[in-house]
Amino acid sequence: MKIAFIGLGIMGKPMAINLLKAGHELRVFDFNKAAVEEVKAAGAVACESSVATVEGVDAVITMLPNSPHVKSVMLENDKVAEHMPKTATFIDCSSISPIASREIAAELEKLGIDMLDAPVSGGQPKAVDGTLAFMVGGKQEVFDKFKDVLAAMGSSVVLCGNVGAGNVTKLCNQTIVAVNIAVLAEALQMGQMCGVEPQKIFEAIKGGLAGSTVMNAKAPMMMDQNFQPGFRIDLHIKDLNNVVDAAKAVDAPIPLTQSVLEMMKILHKDGDGVCDHSALLKYYQKLTGEVLHH
């Protein structure tokens, strides 16, 4: 297919490259010229604006930071929706508010354009190796048409319901991940302070009920004090703020999520917002004055 791809950040760039590897034609745009040049070298056509990407395409894919950015590109400032072919479909892979997804879809519907909200989970490593998990909202027939496109970037592509359902599911994912990382840090820190090596704790419990993908990915990073971002704390704060908004709209209780959000906000104020979310460990290290080790 011929695809416009807007947003070549830490996730978008490898996703775009995997689409090229799968044989799709890409027209790309990002303000980061170095990222554009890298994707161009992989076979994409570099464009001077977001509007220029959509000429003759079958789909427009965005991978942008948050709701205002998607609205700006599609409806407000760039107004990409007014320039894309009416036969094309808008696929938003950004993690944004489901309320915003539904608002964007309603505006696109007036133009006769279908939309899928298709946020992802897996972070940069899975974006690079093409094994992301896609949580999708939209019409069944539109999903069926573009499932293989998403599968070129991920190992799991699931239709969760109508537009907005993808981002509701992603918010559930982000809540589970955040609380999981926080309690992992809490447990390893406590275990070490009680005299047991964190590596032994990890090895002993990772195969049992407490084991998880989060534990396998983040425990080694914590023990190595490696907080290079696969997914930054600041981005997780953005997602959890969207969780708060979505929960408030339906009066859903989220005390655990609220607690972890406050921890992340403290780390942001300490200058750790650019760190990987495994840096939730730093919250405990600052409380105890003890650094986790192998």
Side-chain angles (χ1 to χ4, degrees):
M1 288 191 177
K2 193 172 182 180
I3 299 168
F5 202 109
I6 302 168
L8 303 173
I10 194 170
M11 297 291 289
K13 183 175 67 174
M15 289 168 67
I17 290 172
N18 282 328
L19 284 173
L20 290 166
K21 289 178 180 177
H24 297 288
E25 297 179 46
L26 255 64
R27 298 171 63 83
V28 302
F29 174 75
D30 194 283
F31 291 117
N32 184 336
K33 298 305 179 185
V36 171
E37 286 302 312
E38 188 173 339
V39 179
K40 180 181 177 182
V45 175
C47 297
E48 292 300 315
S49 68
S50 57
V51 169
T53 64
V54 304
E55 181 182 345
V57 298
D58 301 300
V60 176
I61 297 178
T62 49
M63 191 61 171
L64 300 168
N66 205 355
S67 309
H69 305 91
V70 180
K71 285 186 173 182
S72 175
V73 166
M74 293 304 297
L75 302 174
E76 297 169 352
N77 294 326
D78 298 6
K79 297 184 178 180
V80 165
E82 295 181 7
H83 297 272
M84 61 189 286
K86 304 309 177 190
T87 53
T89 294
F90 175 48
I91 304 173
D92 181 31
C93 294
S94 319
S95 293
I96 69 174
S97 163
I99 298 168
S101 290
R102 290 167 183 147
E103 290 171 351
I104 294 166
E107 291 303 312
L108 293 180
E109 189 175 15
K110 295 175 185 176
L111 299 172
I113 296 171
D114 285 317
M115 173 179 169
L116 298 174
D117 65 310
V120 302
S121 177
Q124 185 187 28
K126 289 185 178 293
V128 171
D129 63 21
T131 58
L132 291 166
F134 281 86
M135 296 147 272
V136 189
K139 299 173 184 174
Q140 181 72 55
E141 61 270 23
V142 180
F143 172 78
D144 291 342
K145 182 177 179 181
F146 291 98
K147 183 178 181 181
D148 287 347
V149 172
L150 299 179
M153 301 177 282
S155 58
S156 171
V157 184
V158 178
L159 181 65
C160 301
N162 294 324
V163 170
N167 272 303
V168 169
T169 305
K170 177 59 187 289
L171 293 183
C172 293
N173 179 88
Q174 294 305 83
T175 293
I176 293 167
V177 169
V179 175
N180 208 334
I181 293 174
V183 77
L184 173 63
E186 185 171 297
L188 293 178
Q189 188 80 16
M190 180 196 72
Q192 177 175 290
M193 294 175 73
C194 290
V196 181
E197 294 178 12
Q199 180 67 33
K200 295 299 183 183
I201 296 171
F202 174 50
E203 291 174 4
I205 68 177
K206 67 180 182 180
L209 188 58
S212 67
T213 301
V214 165
M215 180 182 288
N216 290 342
K218 302 304 177 181
M221 293 180 71
M222 292 177 183
M223 290 182 286
D224 288 341
Q225 297 290 306
N226 171 21
F227 304 120
Q228 291 298 311
F231 192 79
R232 296 191 302 274
I233 281 176
D234 281 344
L235 284 176
H236 216 141
I237 289 173
K238 177 265 294 186
D239 286 344
L240 296 188
N241 280 327
N242 284 335
V243 172
V244 171
D245 291 341
K248 184 177 180 181
V250 295
D251 200 27
I254 50 167
L256 295 176
T257 303
Q258 292 275 21
S259 295
V260 178
L261 176 56
E262 292 305 312
M263 293 163 61
M264 287 183 172
K265 286 180 177 178
I266 290 169
L267 290 171
H268 170 80
K269 289 178 181 177
D270 288 343
D272 293 321
V274 296
C275 295
D276 186 77
H277 47 186
S278 59
L280 274 165
L281 174 67
K282 288 190 174 187
Y283 176 85
Y284 294 96
Q285 292 182 159
K286 288 170 182 176
L287 285 179
T288 65
E290 183 167 334
V291 176
L292 197 75
H293 55 72
H294 274 285

